[in-house]
Amino acid sequence: MKLQRMNRRALTLGALAVSGALALTACGSDDTSGGAGGNESAPAANSNIKCEDAKGQLLANGSSAQANAIQTWIKEYTASCKGVQINYKPEGSGAGVTAFLQGQTAFAGSDSALKPEELTESAKVCKDSQAIDLPMVGGPIAVGYNVPGVDNLVLDAKTLADIFNNKITNWDDAAIKKLNPDAKLPDTKIQAFHRSDESGTTDNLTKYLKAAAPDAWPYEPGKAWEPKGGQSAQGSSGVAQQVKQTSGSISYMELSYAKDGINTVAIDTGAGTPVEATVDNATKAIADAKVVGKGKDLALELNYATKAEGAYPITLVTYEIVCEKGNKAETLAATKSFLGYAASEDGQSKLKEQGYAPIPAEINAKVRETIAALS
């Protein structure tokens, strides 16, 4: 497991060390405050990227879990399409959906598909149509922890539910000992952190807890954290930073934020072996998903209670949300061009390098077809 963790860290670009309105822009390649990567040299023009007369500024907002993927795509894309500036603010899925439904952005990023009422509301900004969900980024939601002396930790759904619901409050609790008989668990108070902002990552974690441990998790899944108690932080980068600096802590974050200093939990799903939070194990779970959206909407249904060997159950799919029709004329070409690159084989191939899971080929083919038909 240590070797897997070292490999995973080596693949991770690292969390974006911000918690608010980080702007990822075309002209940020030498900007150490955020954007396309500090002092790294800008990539050369990519012949796989089709600019399609795209120009102007694209504004987008949403999921912080996908920010590292968006960062890489922007850097690659704008090296080829110099007439486009892209400003993505990773303020959380809830903020992203709200901004999109208010007509403020060209697209939104969300770690969960639009709700029926949000689809209905989207008709106000999508002329003669509704918004659609395009699965673009996959990956495991890692449960990160900081317990000195404990490098390997196994938890199951019930134990996780009891930890986040403040029923288990110390690391040497009998339930944790039973799952980790060889670990030297300290008599240390558990410091459980959750997201303070509305988050699709929270939505996916709570869907897992509800599906896999319904008796231990009495709350309905959602983007807002319901249990009382615990501590909170803004964004994936915020909870990751709290885990890294707080002894006895535990939280949940997209895998690319579990960088050096953060160990991750292996999940006992009932399969033969506890499952690590890895890209390949997340892909096994996503491949089992079903398309449940109607028409051109490609919303997926994941099996959070899976017991399949090697399938990591706490997995999210991040969607880019756009209008099927009625997109703003001044940003339509750039939206199609940029999202087309993100969904391309080249764009998807960049994901695994950072701890994300590419969308399975069969689903991704439908995504590319849908993007090409946006109007």
Side-chain angles (χ1 to χ4, degrees), residues 16 35 54 80 91 144 189 194 197 221 241:
L16 299 171
S80 296
E91 295 182 326
K189 180 177 173 59
H194 58 268
D197 51 320
Q241 182 63 25

Side-chain angles (χ1 to χ4, degrees), residues 229-261:
Q231 302 174 72
S232 65
Q234 172 84 20
S236 295
S237 58
V239 293
Q241 182 63 25
Q242 289 298 328
V243 170
K244 187 173 181 179
Q245 68 188 21
T246 306
S247 181
S249 59
I250 187 170
S251 190
Y252 54 94
M253 64 208 71
E254 204 279 333
L255 181 61
S256 70
Y257 288 85
K259 61 176 185 174
D260 286 344

Side-chain angles (χ1 to χ4, degrees), residues 6-253:
M6 288 173 66
N7 288 339
R8 182 172 66 240
R9 288 171 181 163
L11 292 172
T12 300
L13 288 182
L16 299 171
V18 295
S19 59
L22 168 67
L24 305 176
T25 69
C27 50
S29 59
D30 296 317
D31 180 3
T32 57
S33 66
N39 294 323
E40 297 175 11
S41 59
N46 189 331
S47 61
N48 294 312
I49 297 175
K50 296 177 173 58
C51 299
E52 304 290 355
D53 298 323
K55 58 183 178 180
Q57 184 180 57
L58 276 186
L59 300 180
N61 194 331
S63 163
S64 62
Q66 71 166 7
N68 291 337
I70 291 284
Q71 177 191 35
T72 294
W73 287 334
I74 289 175
K75 187 175 180 179
E76 292 284 332
Y77 177 83
T78 54
S80 296
C81 304
K82 299 185 183 299
V84 181
Q85 184 182 33
I86 303 173
N87 185 318
Y88 181 82
K89 295 182 178 180
E91 295 182 326
S93 298
V97 170
T98 296
F100 177 80
L101 293 177
Q102 292 176 349
Q104 298 174 8
T105 56
F107 66 91
S110 177
D111 303 338
S112 52
L114 292 172
K115 297 176 181 178
E117 60 269 26
E118 292 171 334
L119 285 169
T120 300
E121 186 179 350
S122 71
K124 297 177 182 178
V125 293
C126 303
K127 297 176 182 177
D128 301 321
S129 74
Q130 291 184 335
I132 53 176
D133 300 283
L134 301 175
M136 200 72 75
V137 179
I141 298 172
V143 179
Y145 70 96
N146 180 350
V147 183
V150 181
D151 293 329
N152 298 299
L153 185 68
V154 175
L155 297 175
D156 58 15
K158 183 181 185 307
T159 308
L160 272 175
D162 286 342
I163 287 173
F164 283 115
N165 197 26
N166 309 298
K167 301 294 185 183
I168 293 177
T169 57
N170 278 65
W171 280 110
D172 63 348
D173 187 273
I176 302 177
K177 283 184 175 181
K178 184 177 180 180
L179 291 164
N180 301 273
D182 298 327
K184 295 181 180 179
L185 295 164
D187 180 17
T188 301
K189 180 177 173 59
I190 294 174
Q191 307 284 345
F193 286 88
H194 58 268
R195 290 280 292 272
S196 60
D197 51 320
E198 288 198 2
S199 162
T201 314
T202 296
D203 191 27
N204 282 276
L205 174 77
T206 54
K207 282 177 178 176
Y208 160 72
L209 295 175
K210 190 66 174 179
D215 293 337
W217 193 255
Y219 312 99
E220 287 303 312
K223 293 177 183 177
W225 188 257
E226 285 196 35
K228 304 298 181 184
Q231 302 174 72
S232 65
Q234 172 84 20
S236 295
S237 58
V239 293
Q241 182 63 25
Q242 289 298 328
V243 170
K244 187 173 181 179
Q245 68 188 21
T246 306
S247 181
S249 59
I250 187 170
S251 190
Y252 54 94
M253 64 208 71

Side-chain angles (χ1 to χ4, degrees), residues 282-302:
T283 298
K284 291 176 184 177
I286 297 171
D288 237 0
K290 299 177 181 178
V291 176
V292 294
K294 297 179 180 179
K296 297 294 185 180
D297 185 21
L298 298 176
L300 301 176
E301 181 178 83
L302 298 169

